[in-house]
Amino acid sequence: MNDVYITRIAKYLPNNPVSNDEMEKKLGLLNGKSSKAKGIVLRNNKIKTRYYAIDDNGNITHNNAQLTKEAIESLCDNDFTVQDIELLSCGTSSPDQILPSHTAMVHGFLKNRNLEINSPSGACCAGMNAFKYAYLSVKAKQVNNAVCAGSERTSSWMMANTFSEEVNHLLSLEEQPIIAFNKEFLRWMLSDGAGAFLLESEPKGKYPLKIEWIEGYSYAHELETCMYAGGDKLENGELKPWSEYSANEWSEKSLFAMKQDVKLLSENVLVKGVDSLKKALDKHNVTPEDLTYYLPHISSYYFKDKLYEEMVRQDFVVPKDKWFMNLEKVGNVGAASIYIMLEELVTSGKLKKGDKILLHVPESARFAYNYALLTVC
């Protein structure tokens, strides 16, 4: 089989960075009032700026597929054009529609050539699953090259009009129109953007990264749903899908807004994260000391110290001087976060031949984790 290398990396972040003070101007006020939860969430996540595909007048500037197309085109130049792409694999948790698939829409915007496409679904791990499909396809000599991408366009899901019918419904019942924290929580966490890799079987470019391995683990067999959209969680922990509600209830319950079971998240995401980290590294006889850089995708800086504490508790510690993150500047871009983080590390000028980079991507939807080990060539 072929060795496989990341030979190019690109990102696309729409419009200008949005500060904490500008967020409600962009997303809108719920029931005309500033959020009480906003300050609490931002104080914990420590995100300072993020990006929205929304202009200063509240108009949407890009859909998800267009963001992805922009990142992929940024990979290309006269030596490697969009016409040269042999396989396209794109992951997201926020597709623009149920059908056609996200990657089909990206391919439509690229207007390049007939090629194979793959659209993994999921949350943050969708970008890594897109990466793994592309990696295995080049490794197995099915194609000579592959482009994979991760992207999100969640801002439109978080805008005030997404919740307006639910607010009106609560007012009609003479209830206090306060949106549940499990829905509002994510309004102050998420960001728009896309990242892309070009994978080839030869180590081309200034900083080619050899892909040593990619591993994935799911804990859905033992844990209930934690983050969800397009449904509602029942008291027994089961998820009732949107298709089993009436059309009126879709808006009254804001069924298509992203929601997070914060208690379930805090109880499990770190424990299972370190457990799966140990599994991945032990399988390949890698120790934390072997790593030069550790890139953990976390949704909030609230979890940074707690992740380290969990590593200490499970006696599997990656020293903090190996950690590299950019959450504060770009926000939580879900499936795109690991692409954007790696792009920043590669362009930082810090890398040298032989460095080992571990990518660590958790997904709280039903608790899944992906890992990849890269070597700088």
Side-chain angles (χ1 to χ4, degrees):
M1 290 189 177
N2 283 329
D3 286 336
V4 186
Y5 303 85
I6 300 173
T7 57
R8 299 185 183 206
I9 306 178
K11 69 183 178 189
Y12 184 76
L13 298 169
N15 304 314
N16 296 317
V18 177
S19 70
N20 292 349
D21 292 338
E22 297 172 300
M23 293 180 75
E24 286 186 310
K25 181 181 177 182
K26 291 279 189 179
L27 299 178
L29 300 172
L30 298 181
N31 195 34
K33 299 176 181 177
S34 185
S35 168
K36 293 181 179 179
K38 174 189 168 187
I40 299 169
V41 176
L42 290 173
R43 199 159 50 243
N44 281 294
N45 68 31
K46 293 182 171 60
I47 298 170
K48 298 293 182 7
T49 54
R50 73 283 299 146
Y51 292 81
Y52 294 144
I54 305 170
D55 68 18
D56 291 338
N57 298 315
N59 301 310
I60 291 172
T61 60
H62 304 76
N63 65 24
N64 192 330
Q66 289 169 328
L67 292 173
T68 312
K69 171 247 189 189
E70 294 289 345
I72 292 169
E73 287 187 336
S74 296
L75 286 174
C76 301
D77 56 22
N78 292 334
D79 296 323
F80 185 90
T81 73
V82 292
Q83 300 293 334
D84 297 317
I85 300 171
E86 296 187 15
L87 182 147
L88 188 61
S89 181
C90 305
T92 186
S93 63
S94 54
D96 298 313
Q97 63 286 308
I98 298 173
L99 288 172
S101 75
H102 172 59
T103 309
M105 300 307 290
V106 175
H107 186 207
F109 281 118
L110 287 171
K111 298 187 183 303
N112 49 350
R113 52 169 283 189
N114 179 264
L115 47 72
E116 181 181 356
I117 62 172
N118 174 55
S119 278
S121 63
C124 301
C125 285
M128 286 292 284
N129 289 331
F131 177 30
K132 187 165 186 177
Y133 186 90
Y135 160 68
L136 292 176
S137 296
V138 177
K139 191 169 187 64
K141 301 183 179 180
Q142 293 288 301
V143 291
N144 294 308
N145 69 66
V147 166
C148 56
S151 65
E152 302 293 355
R153 204 284 303 269
T154 53
S155 58
S156 62
W157 299 33
M158 300 295 136
M159 293 178 76
N161 57 17
T162 303
F163 305 92
S164 59
E165 287 301 316
E166 182 175 3
V167 169
N168 291 337
H169 180 63
L170 292 171
L171 285 169
S172 71
L173 299 175
E174 297 184 353
E175 293 184 13
Q176 189 72 8
I178 298 173
I179 300 300
F181 185 70
N182 67 344
K183 296 178 186 177
E184 194 184 351
F185 172 73
L186 289 169
R187 288 191 88 207
W188 317 119
M189 307 283 286
L190 303 178
S191 182
D192 296 344
F197 299 159
L198 171 62
L199 308 188
E200 299 181 275
S201 58
E202 296 179 5
K204 301 175 183 178
K206 186 176 181 181
Y207 292 112
L209 305 175
K210 183 182 179 184
I211 304 165
E212 303 291 353
W213 46 260
I214 304 175
E215 297 287 350
Y217 302 89
S218 168
Y219 293 84
H221 64 298
E222 59 181 270
L223 294 172
E224 63 187 54
T225 301
C226 179
M227 188 176 76
Y228 49 100
D232 211 4
K233 195 170 181 181
L234 306 179
E235 289 187 7
N236 64 5
E238 294 182 3
L239 200 66
K240 184 176 177 179
W242 63 271
S243 56
E244 295 177 15
Y245 287 93
S246 69
N248 287 338
E249 288 177 304
W250 297 350
S251 55
E252 288 177 357
K253 295 178 178 290
S254 304
L255 289 182
F256 292 96
M258 284 194 179
K259 298 166 278 287
Q260 180 101 61
D261 186 327
V262 181
K263 183 174 183 294
L264 190 65
L265 176 74
S266 61
E267 289 174 350
N268 294 285
V269 70
L270 301 177
V271 175
K272 300 304 184 186
V274 177
D275 179 68
S276 57
L277 172 65
K278 290 168 63 177
K279 282 180 166 65
L281 295 191
D282 286 348
K283 179 178 178 179
H284 295 277
N285 298 312
V286 176
T287 68
E289 290 71 29
D290 295 328
L291 306 176
T292 314
Y293 293 100
Y294 170 55
L295 278 57
H297 164 52
I298 59 174
S299 61
S300 166
Y301 278 103
Y302 170 80
F303 290 117
K304 183 180 179 182
D305 288 340
K306 293 186 179 300
L307 174 57
Y308 186 81
E309 290 166 8
E310 185 61 31
M311 287 178 172
V312 172
R313 194 186 71 81
Q314 294 194 36
D315 194 25
F316 202 81
V317 177
V318 179
K320 282 189 176 180
D321 61 1
K322 298 176 183 285
W323 295 35
F324 182 90
M325 300 164 61
N326 62 357
L327 178 70
E328 179 182 3
K329 294 183 288 185
V330 301
N332 178 359
V333 206
S337 286
I338 200 67
Y339 289 77
I340 295 168
M341 206 184 315
L342 184 60
E343 188 274 344
E344 184 168 323
L345 176 60
V346 168
T347 57
S348 70
K350 296 179 179 181
L351 295 180
K352 60 184 186 298
K353 188 174 182 178
D355 283 352
K356 299 285 186 184
I357 304 167
L358 182 71
L359 311 182
H360 176 171
V361 180
E363 170 180 297
S364 64
R366 195 83 189 242
F367 297 101
Y369 302 82
N370 282 106
Y371 301 89
L373 185 68
L374 314 174
T375 302
V376 181
C377 298

PDB file of all heavy atoms in Angstrom, residues 127-158:
ATOM      1  N   GLY A 127     -15.508  15.638  10.128  1.00  0.00           N
ATOM      2  CA  GLY A 127     -14.326  16.094   9.404  1.00  0.00           C
ATOM      3  C   GLY A 127     -13.207  15.066   9.428  1.00  0.00           C
ATOM      4  O   GLY A 127     -12.503  14.871   8.434  1.00  0.00           O
ATOM      5  N   MET A 128     -13.035  14.397  10.558  1.00  0.00           N
ATOM      6  CA  MET A 128     -12.013  13.357  10.665  1.00  0.00           C
ATOM      7  C   MET A 128     -12.407  12.107   9.876  1.00  0.00           C
ATOM      8  O   MET A 128     -11.549  11.432   9.292  1.00  0.00           O
ATOM      9  CB  MET A 128     -11.779  13.009  12.133  1.00  0.00           C
ATOM     10  CG  MET A 128     -10.997  14.046  12.897  1.00  0.00           C
ATOM     11  SD  MET A 128      -9.262  14.185  12.375  1.00  0.00           S
ATOM     12  CE  MET A 128      -8.559  12.721  13.138  1.00  0.00           C
ATOM     13  N   ASN A 129     -13.691  11.786   9.850  1.00  0.00           N
ATOM     14  CA  ASN A 129     -14.133  10.639   9.059  1.00  0.00           C
ATOM     15  C   ASN A 129     -13.946  10.900   7.573  1.00  0.00           C
ATOM     16  O   ASN A 129     -13.628   9.987   6.800  1.00  0.00           O
ATOM     17  CB  ASN A 129     -15.586  10.310   9.382  1.00  0.00           C
ATOM     18  CG  ASN A 129     -15.746   9.716  10.771  1.00  0.00           C
ATOM     19  OD1 ASN A 129     -14.838   9.065  11.276  1.00  0.00           O
ATOM     20  ND2 ASN A 129     -16.879   9.950  11.406  1.00  0.00           N
ATOM     21  N   ALA A 130     -14.152  12.156   7.156  1.00  0.00           N
ATOM     22  CA  ALA A 130     -13.871  12.531   5.771  1.00  0.00           C
ATOM     23  C   ALA A 130     -12.374  12.365   5.473  1.00  0.00           C
ATOM     24  O   ALA A 130     -11.982  11.884   4.399  1.00  0.00           O
ATOM     25  CB  ALA A 130     -14.297  13.977   5.530  1.00  0.00           C
ATOM     26  N   PHE A 131     -11.559  12.751   6.423  1.00  0.00           N
ATOM     27  CA  PHE A 131     -10.099  12.622   6.327  1.00  0.00           C
ATOM     28  C   PHE A 131      -9.700  11.149   6.192  1.00  0.00           C
ATOM     29  O   PHE A 131      -8.894  10.769   5.338  1.00  0.00           O
ATOM     30  CB  PHE A 131      -9.491  13.271   7.574  1.00  0.00           C
ATOM     31  CG  PHE A 131      -7.999  13.199   7.719  1.00  0.00           C
ATOM     32  CD1 PHE A 131      -7.143  13.153   6.632  1.00  0.00           C
ATOM     33  CD2 PHE A 131      -7.437  13.222   9.000  1.00  0.00           C
ATOM     34  CE1 PHE A 131      -5.766  13.103   6.794  1.00  0.00           C
ATOM     35  CE2 PHE A 131      -6.059  13.174   9.184  1.00  0.00           C
ATOM     36  CZ  PHE A 131      -5.222  13.111   8.080  1.00  0.00           C
ATOM     37  N   LYS A 132     -10.304  10.286   7.020  1.00  0.00           N
ATOM     38  CA  LYS A 132      -9.920   8.873   7.002  1.00  0.00           C
ATOM     39  C   LYS A 132     -10.304   8.214   5.681  1.00  0.00           C
ATOM     40  O   LYS A 132      -9.546   7.396   5.141  1.00  0.00           O
ATOM     41  CB  LYS A 132     -10.556   8.134   8.179  1.00  0.00           C
ATOM     42  CG  LYS A 132     -10.058   6.691   8.304  1.00  0.00           C
ATOM     43  CD  LYS A 132     -10.382   6.067   9.634  1.00  0.00           C
ATOM     44  CE  LYS A 132      -9.747   4.695   9.767  1.00  0.00           C
ATOM     45  NZ  LYS A 132      -9.999   4.079  11.102  1.00  0.00           N
ATOM     46  N   TYR A 133     -11.479   8.547   5.143  1.00  0.00           N
ATOM     47  CA  TYR A 133     -11.894   7.963   3.868  1.00  0.00           C
ATOM     48  C   TYR A 133     -10.913   8.360   2.763  1.00  0.00           C
ATOM     49  O   TYR A 133     -10.504   7.525   1.937  1.00  0.00           O
ATOM     50  CB  TYR A 133     -13.309   8.417   3.513  1.00  0.00           C
ATOM     51  CG  TYR A 133     -13.874   7.737   2.283  1.00  0.00           C
ATOM     52  CD1 TYR A 133     -14.587   6.549   2.391  1.00  0.00           C
ATOM     53  CD2 TYR A 133     -13.685   8.280   1.009  1.00  0.00           C
ATOM     54  CE1 TYR A 133     -15.097   5.908   1.266  1.00  0.00           C
ATOM     55  CE2 TYR A 133     -14.183   7.656  -0.116  1.00  0.00           C
ATOM     56  CZ  TYR A 133     -14.895   6.470   0.017  1.00  0.00           C
ATOM     57  OH  TYR A 133     -15.392   5.841  -1.098  1.00  0.00           O
ATOM     58  N   ALA A 134     -10.527   9.620   2.759  1.00  0.00           N
ATOM     59  CA  ALA A 134      -9.568  10.098   1.757  1.00  0.00           C
ATOM     60  C   ALA A 134      -8.216   9.408   1.930  1.00  0.00           C
ATOM     61  O   ALA A 134      -7.581   8.974   0.949  1.00  0.00           O
ATOM     62  CB  ALA A 134      -9.419  11.611   1.876  1.00  0.00           C
ATOM     63  N   TYR A 135      -7.777   9.284   3.182  1.00  0.00           N
ATOM     64  CA  TYR A 135      -6.500   8.632   3.499  1.00  0.00           C
ATOM     65  C   TYR A 135      -6.483   7.180   3.019  1.00  0.00           C
ATOM     66  O   TYR A 135      -5.544   6.739   2.338  1.00  0.00           O
ATOM     67  CB  TYR A 135      -6.282   8.715   5.014  1.00  0.00           C
ATOM     68  CG  TYR A 135      -5.310   7.733   5.610  1.00  0.00           C
ATOM     69  CD1 TYR A 135      -3.947   7.800   5.331  1.00  0.00           C
ATOM     70  CD2 TYR A 135      -5.747   6.742   6.490  1.00  0.00           C
ATOM     71  CE1 TYR A 135      -3.047   6.900   5.903  1.00  0.00           C
ATOM     72  CE2 TYR A 135      -4.865   5.855   7.074  1.00  0.00           C
ATOM     73  CZ  TYR A 135      -3.521   5.923   6.773  1.00  0.00           C
ATOM     74  OH  TYR A 135      -2.643   5.043   7.340  1.00  0.00           O
ATOM     75  N   LEU A 136      -7.530   6.430   3.345  1.00  0.00           N
ATOM     76  CA  LEU A 136      -7.580   5.013   2.965  1.00  0.00           C
ATOM     77  C   LEU A 136      -7.666   4.852   1.447  1.00  0.00           C
ATOM     78  O   LEU A 136      -7.129   3.887   0.889  1.00  0.00           O
ATOM     79  CB  LEU A 136      -8.757   4.329   3.648  1.00  0.00           C
ATOM     80  CG  LEU A 136      -8.652   4.187   5.172  1.00  0.00           C
ATOM     81  CD1 LEU A 136      -9.935   3.587   5.746  1.00  0.00           C
ATOM     82  CD2 LEU A 136      -7.446   3.322   5.568  1.00  0.00           C
ATOM     83  N   SER A 137      -8.327   5.779   0.784  1.00  0.00           N
ATOM     84  CA  SER A 137      -8.463   5.679  -0.670  1.00  0.00           C
ATOM     85  C   SER A 137      -7.120   5.862  -1.371  1.00  0.00           C
ATOM     86  O   SER A 137      -6.806   5.155  -2.336  1.00  0.00           O
ATOM     87  CB  SER A 137      -9.464   6.725  -1.171  1.00  0.00           C
ATOM     88  OG  SER A 137     -10.751   6.464  -0.665  1.00  0.00           O
ATOM     89  N   VAL A 138      -6.313   6.809  -0.888  1.00  0.00           N
ATOM     90  CA  VAL A 138      -4.980   6.991  -1.461  1.00  0.00           C
ATOM     91  C   VAL A 138      -4.073   5.838  -1.052  1.00  0.00           C
ATOM     92  O   VAL A 138      -3.293   5.315  -1.861  1.00  0.00           O
ATOM     93  CB  VAL A 138      -4.371   8.344  -1.024  1.00  0.00           C
ATOM     94  CG1 VAL A 138      -2.945   8.498  -1.555  1.00  0.00           C
ATOM     95  CG2 VAL A 138      -5.238   9.499  -1.524  1.00  0.00           C
ATOM     96  N   LYS A 139      -4.184   5.408   0.188  1.00  0.00           N
ATOM     97  CA  LYS A 139      -3.334   4.321   0.691  1.00  0.00           C
ATOM     98  C   LYS A 139      -3.564   3.027  -0.088  1.00  0.00           C
ATOM     99  O   LYS A 139      -2.621   2.298  -0.404  1.00  0.00           O
ATOM    100  CB  LYS A 139      -3.596   4.092   2.180  1.00  0.00           C
ATOM    101  CG  LYS A 139      -2.578   3.168   2.847  1.00  0.00           C
ATOM    102  CD  LYS A 139      -2.711   3.193   4.351  1.00  0.00           C
ATOM    103  CE  LYS A 139      -1.591   2.395   5.004  1.00  0.00           C
ATOM    104  NZ  LYS A 139      -0.253   2.968   4.748  1.00  0.00           N
ATOM    105  N   ALA A 140      -4.836   2.758  -0.410  1.00  0.00           N
ATOM    106  CA  ALA A 140      -5.187   1.532  -1.125  1.00  0.00           C
ATOM    107  C   ALA A 140      -5.009   1.652  -2.636  1.00  0.00           C
ATOM    108  O   ALA A 140      -5.379   0.738  -3.380  1.00  0.00           O
ATOM    109  CB  ALA A 140      -6.633   1.151  -0.812  1.00  0.00           C
ATOM    110  N   LYS A 141      -4.459   2.762  -3.102  1.00  0.00           N
ATOM    111  CA  LYS A 141      -4.194   3.005  -4.521  1.00  0.00           C
ATOM    112  C   LYS A 141      -5.460   3.060  -5.362  1.00  0.00           C
ATOM    113  O   LYS A 141      -5.433   2.782  -6.560  1.00  0.00           O
ATOM    114  CB  LYS A 141      -3.224   1.957  -5.083  1.00  0.00           C
ATOM    115  CG  LYS A 141      -1.879   1.912  -4.376  1.00  0.00           C
ATOM    116  CD  LYS A 141      -0.928   0.906  -5.012  1.00  0.00           C
ATOM    117  CE  LYS A 141       0.417   0.892  -4.292  1.00  0.00           C
ATOM    118  NZ  LYS A 141       1.375  -0.085  -4.889  1.00  0.00           N
ATOM    119  N   GLN A 142      -6.578   3.425  -4.729  1.00  0.00           N
ATOM    120  CA  GLN A 142      -7.805   3.631  -5.480  1.00  0.00           C
ATOM    121  C   GLN A 142      -7.741   4.920  -6.295  1.00  0.00           C
ATOM    122  O   GLN A 142      -8.326   5.024  -7.366  1.00  0.00           O
ATOM    123  CB  GLN A 142      -9.002   3.699  -4.518  1.00  0.00           C
ATOM    124  CG  GLN A 142      -9.306   2.392  -3.800  1.00  0.00           C
ATOM    125  CD  GLN A 142      -9.901   1.366  -4.748  1.00  0.00           C
ATOM    126  OE1 GLN A 142     -10.941   1.600  -5.348  1.00  0.00           O
ATOM    127  NE2 GLN A 142      -9.222   0.237  -4.886  1.00  0.00           N
ATOM    128  N   VAL A 143      -7.034   5.901  -5.733  1.00  0.00           N
ATOM    129  CA  VAL A 143      -6.852   7.198  -6.411  1.00  0.00           C
ATOM    130  C   VAL A 143      -5.430   7.679  -6.150  1.00  0.00           C
ATOM    131  O   VAL A 143      -4.761   7.218  -5.220  1.00  0.00           O
ATOM    132  CB  VAL A 143      -7.858   8.260  -5.898  1.00  0.00           C
ATOM    133  CG1 VAL A 143      -9.277   7.934  -6.339  1.00  0.00           C
ATOM    134  CG2 VAL A 143      -7.782   8.404  -4.377  1.00  0.00           C
ATOM    135  N   ASN A 144      -4.969   8.601  -6.978  1.00  0.00           N
ATOM    136  CA  ASN A 144      -3.633   9.165  -6.795  1.00  0.00           C
ATOM    137  C   ASN A 144      -3.630  10.319  -5.802  1.00  0.00           C
ATOM    138  O   ASN A 144      -2.611  10.614  -5.189  1.00  0.00           O
ATOM    139  CB  ASN A 144      -3.083   9.650  -8.137  1.00  0.00           C
ATOM    140  CG  ASN A 144      -2.841   8.517  -9.104  1.00  0.00           C
ATOM    141  OD1 ASN A 144      -2.179   7.537  -8.774  1.00  0.00           O
ATOM    142  ND2 ASN A 144      -3.381   8.635 -10.311  1.00  0.00           N
ATOM    143  N   ASN A 145      -4.780  10.989  -5.668  1.00  0.00           N
ATOM    144  CA  ASN A 145      -4.886  12.083  -4.704  1.00  0.00           C
ATOM    145  C   ASN A 145      -6.320  12.182  -4.224  1.00  0.00           C
ATOM    146  O   ASN A 145      -7.241  11.646  -4.851  1.00  0.00           O
ATOM    147  CB  ASN A 145      -4.421  13.412  -5.311  1.00  0.00           C
ATOM    148  CG  ASN A 145      -5.362  13.932  -6.387  1.00  0.00           C
ATOM    149  OD1 ASN A 145      -6.499  14.293  -6.109  1.00  0.00           O
ATOM    150  ND2 ASN A 145      -4.884  13.966  -7.642  1.00  0.00           N
ATOM    151  N   ALA A 146      -6.507  12.850  -3.114  1.00  0.00           N
ATOM    152  CA  ALA A 146      -7.846  13.068  -2.564  1.00  0.00           C
ATOM    153  C   ALA A 146      -7.850  14.374  -1.793  1.00  0.00           C
ATOM    154  O   ALA A 146      -6.847  14.736  -1.164  1.00  0.00           O
ATOM    155  CB  ALA A 146      -8.253  11.917  -1.646  1.00  0.00           C
ATOM    156  N   VAL A 147      -8.969  15.074  -1.863  1.00  0.00           N
ATOM    157  CA  VAL A 147      -9.166  16.273  -1.056  1.00  0.00           C
ATOM    158  C   VAL A 147     -10.236  15.979  -0.024  1.00  0.00           C
ATOM    159  O   VAL A 147     -11.312  15.448  -0.352  1.00  0.00           O
ATOM    160  CB  VAL A 147      -9.579  17.478  -1.927  1.00  0.00           C
ATOM    161  CG1 VAL A 147     -10.116  18.614  -1.058  1.00  0.00           C
ATOM    162  CG2 VAL A 147      -8.384  17.968  -2.749  1.00  0.00           C
ATOM    163  N   CYS A 148      -9.935  16.278   1.235  1.00  0.00           N
ATOM    164  CA  CYS A 148     -10.923  16.130   2.303  1.00  0.00           C
ATOM    165  C   CYS A 148     -11.115  17.483   2.974  1.00  0.00           C
ATOM    166  O   CYS A 148     -10.233  18.355   2.929  1.00  0.00           O
ATOM    167  CB  CYS A 148     -10.502  15.070   3.317  1.00  0.00           C
ATOM    168  SG  CYS A 148      -8.886  15.351   4.075  1.00  0.00           S
ATOM    169  N   ALA A 149     -12.273  17.650   3.589  1.00  0.00           N
ATOM    170  CA  ALA A 149     -12.584  18.939   4.204  1.00  0.00           C
ATOM    171  C   ALA A 149     -13.507  18.749   5.394  1.00  0.00           C
ATOM    172  O   ALA A 149     -14.264  17.785   5.475  1.00  0.00           O
ATOM    173  CB  ALA A 149     -13.237  19.877   3.187  1.00  0.00           C
ATOM    174  N   GLY A 150     -13.429  19.700   6.301  1.00  0.00           N
ATOM    175  CA  GLY A 150     -14.382  19.819   7.402  1.00  0.00           C
ATOM    176  C   GLY A 150     -14.909  21.240   7.389  1.00  0.00           C
ATOM    177  O   GLY A 150     -14.157  22.183   7.113  1.00  0.00           O
ATOM    178  N   SER A 151     -16.192  21.409   7.674  1.00  0.00           N
ATOM    179  CA  SER A 151     -16.773  22.753   7.609  1.00  0.00           C
ATOM    180  C   SER A 151     -17.987  22.861   8.508  1.00  0.00           C
ATOM    181  O   SER A 151     -18.597  21.856   8.880  1.00  0.00           O
ATOM    182  CB  SER A 151     -17.188  23.083   6.169  1.00  0.00           C
ATOM    183  OG  SER A 151     -18.225  22.220   5.745  1.00  0.00           O
ATOM    184  N   GLU A 152     -18.340  24.095   8.852  1.00  0.00           N
ATOM    185  CA  GLU A 152     -19.581  24.377   9.586  1.00  0.00           C
ATOM    186  C   GLU A 152     -20.110  25.740   9.155  1.00  0.00           C
ATOM    187  O   GLU A 152     -19.342  26.678   8.914  1.00  0.00           O
ATOM    188  CB  GLU A 152     -19.353  24.406  11.097  1.00  0.00           C
ATOM    189  CG  GLU A 152     -18.784  23.140  11.704  1.00  0.00           C
ATOM    190  CD  GLU A 152     -19.691  21.925  11.657  1.00  0.00           C
ATOM    191  OE1 GLU A 152     -20.869  22.057  11.228  1.00  0.00           O
ATOM    192  OE2 GLU A 152     -19.228  20.827  12.028  1.00  0.00           O
ATOM    193  N   ARG A 153     -21.445  25.843   9.082  1.00  0.00           N
ATOM    194  CA  ARG A 153     -22.118  27.128   8.936  1.00  0.00           C
ATOM    195  C   ARG A 153     -23.295  27.074   9.925  1.00  0.00           C
ATOM    196  O   ARG A 153     -24.435  26.834   9.558  1.00  0.00           O
ATOM    197  CB  ARG A 153     -22.590  27.353   7.511  1.00  0.00           C
ATOM    198  CG  ARG A 153     -22.769  28.845   7.113  1.00  0.00           C
ATOM    199  CD  ARG A 153     -24.030  29.474   7.701  1.00  0.00           C
ATOM    200  NE  ARG A 153     -25.229  28.743   7.315  1.00  0.00           N
ATOM    201  CZ  ARG A 153     -25.975  29.009   6.232  1.00  0.00           C
ATOM    202  NH1 ARG A 153     -25.676  29.997   5.449  1.00  0.00           N
ATOM    203  NH2 ARG A 153     -27.056  28.296   5.970  1.00  0.00           N
ATOM    204  N   THR A 154     -22.986  27.250  11.213  1.00  0.00           N
ATOM    205  CA  THR A 154     -23.989  27.124  12.271  1.00  0.00           C
ATOM    206  C   THR A 154     -24.610  28.457  12.661  1.00  0.00           C
ATOM    207  O   THR A 154     -25.602  28.482  13.389  1.00  0.00           O
ATOM    208  CB  THR A 154     -23.369  26.482  13.531  1.00  0.00           C
ATOM    209  OG1 THR A 154     -22.197  27.209  13.899  1.00  0.00           O
ATOM    210  CG2 THR A 154     -22.994  25.032  13.286  1.00  0.00           C
ATOM    211  N   SER A 155     -24.044  29.567  12.189  1.00  0.00           N
ATOM    212  CA  SER A 155     -24.557  30.868  12.614  1.00  0.00           C
ATOM    213  C   SER A 155     -26.037  31.023  12.292  1.00  0.00           C
ATOM    214  O   SER A 155     -26.801  31.564  13.102  1.00  0.00           O
ATOM    215  CB  SER A 155     -23.755  31.998  11.959  1.00  0.00           C
ATOM    216  OG  SER A 155     -23.801  31.902  10.544  1.00  0.00           O
ATOM    217  N   SER A 156     -26.459  30.556  11.130  1.00  0.00           N
ATOM    218  CA  SER A 156     -27.868  30.703  10.754  1.00  0.00           C
ATOM    219  C   SER A 156     -28.780  29.862  11.641  1.00  0.00           C
ATOM    220  O   SER A 156     -29.960  30.170  11.803  1.00  0.00           O
ATOM    221  CB  SER A 156     -28.068  30.323   9.280  1.00  0.00           C
ATOM    222  OG  SER A 156     -27.719  28.973   9.058  1.00  0.00           O
ATOM    223  N   TRP A 157     -28.233  28.788  12.230  1.00  0.00           N
ATOM    224  CA  TRP A 157     -29.002  27.958  13.155  1.00  0.00           C
ATOM    225  C   TRP A 157     -29.160  28.645  14.510  1.00  0.00           C
ATOM    226  O   TRP A 157     -30.026  28.287  15.292  1.00  0.00           O
ATOM    227  CB  TRP A 157     -28.301  26.611  13.375  1.00  0.00           C
ATOM    228  CG  TRP A 157     -28.111  25.750  12.182  1.00  0.00           C
ATOM    229  CD1 TRP A 157     -27.889  26.139  10.888  1.00  0.00           C
ATOM    230  CD2 TRP A 157     -28.105  24.323  12.154  1.00  0.00           C
ATOM    231  NE1 TRP A 157     -27.741  25.057  10.067  1.00  0.00           N
ATOM    232  CE2 TRP A 157     -27.855  23.924  10.814  1.00  0.00           C
ATOM    233  CE3 TRP A 157     -28.253  23.337  13.126  1.00  0.00           C
ATOM    234  CZ2 TRP A 157     -27.779  22.590  10.424  1.00  0.00           C
ATOM    235  CZ3 TRP A 157     -28.170  21.997  12.738  1.00  0.00           C
ATOM    236  CH2 TRP A 157     -27.948  21.629  11.409  1.00  0.00           C
ATOM    237  N   MET A 158     -28.286  29.614  14.784  1.00  0.00           N
ATOM    238  CA  MET A 158     -28.251  30.265  16.093  1.00  0.00           C
ATOM    239  C   MET A 158     -28.926  31.642  16.087  1.00  0.00           C
ATOM    240  O   MET A 158     -29.001  32.298  17.124  1.00  0.00           O
ATOM    241  CB  MET A 158     -26.793  30.433  16.547  1.00  0.00           C
ATOM    242  CG  MET A 158     -26.023  29.143  16.683  1.00  0.00           C
ATOM    243  SD  MET A 158     -26.688  28.101  18.004  1.00  0.00           S
ATOM    244  CE  MET A 158     -26.667  26.512  17.191  1.00  0.00           C
TER     245      MET A 158
END
